Amino acid sequence: MSMIRMVLKEMWHRKVNFVLAVLAVTTAVAFSVAFFTAAKASERETARLMLSMGYNVHIIAKDADAGAFLLNGIPDKTMPADYLDKLATQQSISYNHLLATLEGRMNWRGMDIVLTGIAPEVCPPGQKKPPMTFQVDPGAVYVGHRIAASLQVKEGQTISLGGKDLKVKKCLSESGGLDDVRMQCNLGDAQEILNQPGRITGIKAVDCLCFEKGDPVAVLRKEIGAILPEAQVLQVKALANARAKQRQMVHGIFALMLPFVVAACAVWIGVLAAINVRDRQQEIGLLRALGYDAGAICLLFLGKALLVGLAGAGVGFLLGTTLGLTYGPGVFEITAKAMIRWEPSLLVFACILAPLFAIVASLIPTMIAITCDPAEALREE
Amino acid sequence: MLQCQDVTKTYRTPNGEVKALGDVSLRIDKGQFVAVCGPSGSGKTTLLMTMAAMLRPSAGMVRFEEEDIYGMAGSERAVFRAKNIGFVFQMFHLVPYLNVLENVRLAGGAVGGRDGGRARELLQRLGLQHRMDHRPAQLSTGERQRAAMARALLNRPKLILADEPTGNLDPDSAASVLGHLRDFHRAGGTVVIATHGPAAQELATRTIHLRNGTIERDG
């Protein structure tokens, strides 16, 4: 009779104890998986929501008047469009969501407007993320609310802008800002209309320095300055700070909650293991009387803990993932569809950590079992 | 074969120390059938457990074939127990989730005895061939004790220690169990049985009377 066979037979015999122990591990794993998934989703959701506040890094030409840019939001100098490629091909950098734009003021049908050409947003290698803003196809234009209202521009209409025909893709809703007097088209179209081939006025970006302890602007300037010495970097600090603080808070909440759940489940498993040891005092006494040593008794209890851990890992992972997939989309409306998904790596972690967790939680009762006085145990009636 | 020399065992309880055995000295020779008698609390079980290398005495020495059994390391003593001593308990102590055959074979596990042949042979000899696949809960008390007997005999022990083995049995089952102990004794084995019953005392070649942890009479 091998000890593993004994472990399996005992588990089958004391099904309730086994099921309750598996339930404890299942709870710990399910909570961990759900918490981890939710924490990740929450961080992503927060990051995404914070992104909607806008790009917080502006890269403009070195000779552009930063004061004028801050005053009216449009750089007065251009720079080569291939600056974007230089930034976009860098590894291990602290910015993402690169958006090259060419902006210029012009008069259209008697109204002063801002024309913004937008290149498709790009992400540096290894930082692929869904774009923050809409992409504009060549030949299409998005018209600001005030322009559309004042000049009776309708969606689907073809308009002529600087001699180029563009089809109105959408008339935007009122923003209460500069976007209301802005027309947004493809970068190539804007370069043609503004007669600035191969040029851009700026690159917008989002920094990835939410968890940076030092001065984020200094880090950005150092990084970008090394790649683009002919550019200057401005950070919208209020946006950057709000984003960083919100993300740190969400990160902190989950980091705080998870250990409590895991500790509670460890106590639960420990109590069940202790009950199991108490129920099996005579069996332990008998085994000791029959010559089984402490190692064999250890194997009997820790082997059970191992199997409980493995079973709990599987069930807990399924439960946690199901909870995440079922309820996550309701909570994280923006990112859920793209971001909440089955994480096979968590199953691997669960299968390694849950048995370890169950074994650690069962250690004290196992020690009690192996130090149990067989004579005393066998005298119990 | 077995010698207890000035064996004292004291238990600590919340109400103070209780002396279960006090300076007990005795010698049991190979081939004896010894009945240990005495009222409840006289120290019978404590004496048997001490002889069985399961309960270290507070003072004194226990020797088995001239070897100090409490001088051995724990793991050494466990192997010694498995090889030399068979136990029969009043409460049977069968593992509830193993069937009868597995319970008997359990005794061989600690000494690498994986052969099921002898276990089957013993169960047949004890009239349990039709119960091998049954769980202890499905057996009568007499059958349980016979299964425990088979377990005790599996490793061909030199000594069987039986702690009130007939205490929970009806007269027929008790007679059957005592008959098997007698057979073991007749085959050259040594038996020490703690008992209240006269039947066991009649079988015994020697009776030791205990009272308050000391030997009142030996003969």
Side-chain angles (χ1 to χ4, degrees):
Chain A
M1 164 79 37
S2 72
M3 294 311 272
I4 291 299
R5 197 167 148 76
M6 274 189 82
V7 170
L8 293 173
K9 286 205 154 213
E10 194 276 333
M11 288 191 316
W12 182 248
H13 180 71
R14 294 192 177 89
K15 297 179 196 76
V16 174
N17 181 284
F18 174 67
V19 167
L20 286 175
V22 169
L23 197 62
V25 180
T26 298
T27 306
V29 172
F31 265 103
S32 302
V33 168
F35 269 20
F36 187 81
T37 307
K40 283 284 159 202
S42 177
E43 281 186 36
R44 286 188 291 241
E45 185 89 349
T46 305
R48 188 67 187 80
L49 286 171
M50 292 295 105
L51 283 180
S52 67
M53 293 169 75
Y55 297 90
N56 57 27
V57 176
H58 294 283
I59 301 159
I60 59 174
K62 191 153 196 162
D63 55 352
D65 183 342
F69 169 68
L70 293 173
L71 206 59
N72 57 36
I74 300 172
D76 60 350
K77 292 286 191 294
T78 62
M79 55 189 186
D82 64 7
Y83 277 17
L84 179 72
D85 302 328
K86 287 184 182 174
L87 290 174
T89 52
Q90 301 298 314
Q91 304 263 6
S92 308
I93 35 73
S94 308
Y95 52 80
N96 202 350
H97 297 284
L98 294 161
L99 184 77
T101 57
L102 176 68
E103 294 184 282
R105 289 179 190 279
M106 61 184 294
N107 190 281
W108 187 65
R109 294 187 189 170
M111 184 174 179
D112 285 334
I113 65 159
V114 175
L115 178 67
T116 302
I118 304 170
E121 190 182 284
V122 291
C123 296
Q127 296 195 37
K128 184 77 182 153
K129 297 272 172 69
M132 279 172 57
T133 188
F134 55 84
Q135 311 291 298
V136 188
D137 296 329
V141 65
Y142 286 71
V143 180
H145 176 74
R146 189 159 292 275
I147 303 171
S150 303
L151 303 175
Q152 281 82 47
V153 178
K154 301 275 182 267
E155 286 180 12
Q157 188 182 341
T158 299
I159 59 170
S160 177
L161 197 61
K164 184 165 180 69
D165 286 344
L166 298 171
K167 190 172 182 182
V168 177
K169 180 92 175 177
K170 193 169 185 183
C171 293
L172 301 173
S173 57
E174 189 171 1
S175 72
L178 195 59
D179 283 349
D180 286 346
V181 290
R182 192 193 299 272
M183 286 213 194
Q184 299 179 72
C185 63
N186 183 267
L187 178 65
D189 292 338
Q191 287 170 334
E192 199 180 324
I193 295 164
L194 296 171
N195 197 24
Q196 295 279 2
R199 308 292 291 179
I200 54 176
T201 47
I203 298 169
K204 295 176 183 177
V206 177
D207 74 60
C208 310
L209 294 163
C210 290
F211 300 98
E212 171 69 33
K213 288 202 172 71
D215 178 12
V217 189
V219 174
L220 279 173
R221 284 186 176 144
K222 191 176 171 193
E223 272 184 16
I224 296 172
I227 306 159
L228 296 178
E230 295 305 311
Q232 55 180 313
V233 178
L234 303 170
Q235 190 197 38
V236 187
K237 216 153 191 165
L239 286 183
N241 285 349
R243 179 168 181 265
K245 285 204 165 72
Q246 178 66 19
R247 292 189 67 182
Q248 285 163 6
M249 186 192 74
V250 170
H251 186 80
I253 287 171
F254 284 103
L256 189 71
M257 285 170 76
L258 193 57
F260 281 107
V261 175
V262 171
C265 291
V267 171
W268 182 357
I269 295 171
V271 168
L272 285 167
I275 291 170
N276 191 237
V277 167
R278 195 197 59 192
D279 289 348
R280 298 172 68 186
Q281 284 288 316
Q282 292 187 356
E283 181 190 334
I284 297 163
L286 174 76
L287 290 172
R288 298 308 294 266
L290 293 178
Y292 287 83
D293 59 14
I297 308 291
C298 251
L299 194 63
L300 209 56
F301 285 89
L302 296 185
K304 182 176 180 178
L306 178 83
L307 294 176
V308 163
L310 281 174
V315 180
F317 175 76
L318 285 177
L319 186 66
T321 302
T322 306
L323 285 174
L325 294 177
T326 307
Y327 296 106
V331 179
F332 307 109
E333 291 175 352
I334 298 173
T335 55
K337 201 171 175 184
M339 300 291 195
I340 298 182
R341 57 184 173 254
W342 183 65
E343 295 270 1
S345 61
L346 284 181
L347 179 61
V348 175
F349 276 116
C351 286
I352 295 168
L353 295 180
L356 272 177
F357 170 70
I359 286 171
V360 169
S362 304
L363 267 183
I364 293 175
T366 303
M367 291 301 115
I368 294 169
I370 61 174
T371 53
C372 132
D373 179 350
E376 201 57 45
L378 290 170
R379 289 174 69 150
E380 301 264 333
E381 290 185 11
Chain B
M1 176 187 233
L2 184 77
Q3 189 180 1
C4 296
Q5 196 178 322
D6 301 325
V7 170
T8 297
K9 180 65 191 177
T10 309
Y11 292 109
R12 287 205 184 98
T13 70
N15 301 323
E17 289 195 340
V18 173
K19 193 180 255 188
L21 290 176
D23 290 325
V24 171
S25 293
L26 58 87
R27 183 187 178 88
I28 291 166
D29 294 322
K30 187 172 182 292
Q32 282 191 326
F33 193 126
V34 181
V36 180
C37 306
S40 291
S42 59
K44 298 188 297 294
T45 300
T46 301
L47 179 62
L48 254 66
M49 291 293 182
T50 308
M51 287 174 172
M54 278 168 55
L55 188 64
R56 184 182 289 278
S58 311
M61 189 179 281
V62 182
R63 290 174 185 275
F64 189 94
E65 294 181 337
E66 302 309 319
E67 198 168 357
D68 176 8
I69 56 178
Y70 290 101
M72 298 175 186
S75 55
E76 220 181 322
R77 199 160 59 243
V79 174
F80 158 81
R81 257 199 315 265
K83 282 184 173 169
N84 296 292
I85 301 175
F87 296 96
V88 185
F89 305 97
Q90 183 179 2
M91 301 301 294
F92 328 123
H93 294 312
L94 296 169
V95 178
Y97 53 85
L98 301 180
N99 65 29
V100 170
L101 182 62
E102 289 165 338
N103 262 291
V104 175
R105 290 181 67 186
L106 197 60
V111 286
R114 301 206 179 278
D115 177 23
R118 177 162 166 78
R120 282 195 181 82
E121 179 201 314
L122 283 168
L123 287 171
Q124 198 154 7
R125 203 197 300 168
L126 288 155
L128 290 172
Q129 65 276 16
H130 59 299
R131 295 295 212 180
M132 287 187 199
D133 296 329
H134 288 71
R135 295 276 176 84
Q138 296 168 309
L139 305 183
S140 69
T141 50
E143 286 172 327
R144 287 182 210 177
Q145 194 59 297
R146 277 185 280 148
M149 274 291 301
R151 184 182 63 197
L153 292 167
L154 185 81
N155 293 334
R156 296 185 171 87
K158 293 173 182 169
L159 171 67
I160 283 188
L161 296 170
D163 188 6
E164 305 205 27
T166 57
N168 281 339
L169 304 182
D170 61 80
D172 287 348
S173 298
S176 167
V177 167
L178 288 174
H180 290 298
L181 285 173
R182 184 193 57 213
D183 291 346
F184 172 76
H185 171 239
R186 281 180 181 166
T190 307
V191 178
V192 178
I193 179 170
T195 184
H196 288 292
Q201 291 176 40
E202 282 167 18
L203 279 179
T205 56
R206 175 183 169 193
T207 303
I208 297 171
H209 291 270
L210 285 182
R211 183 173 290 274
N212 297 328
T214 56
I215 296 176
E216 190 181 53
R217 200 166 69 242
D218 185 354

